Every structure is written in C-alpha cells, then in structure tokens.
Amino acid sequence: MIAATETLEEYATATASCTRCRLAQGRTQVVFGYGNPHADLMFVGEAPGFHEDKQGVPFVGQAGKLLEKLLAGVDLRREDVYIANVLKCRPPGNRDPQPDEIESCEPHLFRQIELIEPKVIATLGNFATKLLSGRPLGITRVHGQEQALTIAGRSVVLYPIYHPAAALYTPAMLKVLEADFARLPELMGSGVQPAAVTAPEPEPEPAVAAPAEQLGLF
Ligand code: URA
C-alpha cells in the first residue's frame, strides 16, 4: 500500500529492489532519477546506458553532457530539474525498450510524476513521447509542440524534444534541440533568454554504435 505521506526518496528506496521485469537480472542497479524532487520541469528519457547503470544516475554519459549544455543554455542546471527515464534499468547492449518492459516500469514513472508534481514534462525522444502522450506519433512529427494533458491525475504541459543523443549522431540536430530548449522558460512561465550551446565531442563508449534511426531517435 502507498502511504499518503510517501516521499520521492522513500519511493526510490522501495524501487531499488524492483523485479517487475527481466531487466532486473542484468542491471548493476536501478537508475531511479536525479534532481530537484519538487522541480517544475521534469525530463523523461529512454533508459539507462552503460555509465548510468554503473553510476546509478541518469544522463551521465555523452548524451547527458549535451543535456547539461542545453540546460545551461536556458540558465538551468541538472539540480534545478528532475531527470528520469521510461525504463529504470539498463536494457542489455542498450537495445530498445520492449513493450512489456515499458508496461512493467510505467507505474514507477507515473508515481514519480505524482510525487514531483512538475508543471512541464519534456519527453526526450520517441519512447517517452509516445508513452506519456498516449499517441503513436513520432518525435519528428511532434517535437517542439507543447500539449496540455492530464498525467497521473495532474494537469501538465507535455513538451516533446528530440533525444540529445540524436545530435551526437547528426550534428545538424543540435540547432533543432537548441530551438526547442529555448522555449522551455516560456513554457515554465519565466523570461530567461537562452544562449547558444555546442555539442561535446563524442567519446567512444563500450556500447555497440548504431545509426540514430535504429536507436529510435527520429
Ligand atoms: N539516454 C537515456 O535515455 N537515458 C539516460 O539516462 C542516458 C542516456
């Protein structure tokens, strides 16, 4: 039973031993989320990768470095927002999340949203966008288009953005990401002016490199 006074930290502790799906077997640890537990802005990515699985923190690899730069461009740090993923455990070899894994993990994401109560949820890439919008439209169609929705019983603005990894594979995508990030202050009801950011040089990671399309980034 969920206690009425449960905190995000308590829920994270309970989730650390999750065995709802097969990913429990291969993980180093559950990557629950990181950031301000009362953030107005929440980001939802896809799933932990190699570095996230090792460190227990989302978006600490190359895509995470770019996410931090994009955040800095709108005067935000990762501590100001909350960052989570659709899946809390790393899929083997960074493969795509499977439908049954998404379904098993969904209650964790929805409980996080209930407890954090964000005003804006920025979905990074196809998996988070399709799950939280409840629509099959891909990120290429819907990025940069905010939508007023009720999620986990709360009114939120859903704001789909390309996954930062897309700009690591396709550098031209950085401009699109910057333009979409630039609207975040307005969506959150502040007037901060965004600044230009540059993508970090990709470093080889021990994961198998795959074209962006195969990764479901577009
Ligand atoms: N990509 C994601 O979607 N999530 C992470 O935590 C890291 C990379």
Side-chain angles (χ1 to χ4, degrees), residues 117-138:
E117 303 187 316
K119 289 185 188 155
V120 178
I121 301 179
T123 49
L124 301 172
N126 268 321
F127 286 94
T129 301
K130 289 180 183 174
L131 177 66
L132 291 182
S133 69
R135 297 194 302 175
L137 300 179

Side-chain angles (χ1 to χ4, degrees), residues 45-49 52 58-59 63 85 163:
E46 186 175 312
E52 289 79 18
F59 282 96
N85 283 306
H163 194 289

Side-chain angles (χ1 to χ4, degrees), residues 103-176:
E103 199 181 322
S104 299
C105 213
E106 195 182 289
H108 295 322
L109 179 61
F110 279 75
R111 186 68 185 139
Q112 280 178 311
I113 295 170
E114 266 175 8
L115 291 166
I116 295 164
E117 303 187 316
K119 289 185 188 155
V120 178
I121 301 179
T123 49
L124 301 172
N126 268 321
F127 286 94
T129 301
K130 289 180 183 174
L131 177 66
L132 291 182
S133 69
R135 297 194 302 175
L137 300 179
I139 194 68
T140 304
R141 270 280 295 279
V142 300
H143 78 92
Q145 297 169 31
E146 69 274 25
Q147 224 186 313
L149 282 183
T150 302
I151 298 178
R154 287 184 44 83
S155 297
V156 296
V157 173
L158 188 82
Y159 187 56
I161 304 180
Y162 278 105
H163 194 289
L168 300 177
Y169 292 99
T170 310
M173 196 53 76
L174 184 60
K175 291 276 166 243
V176 182

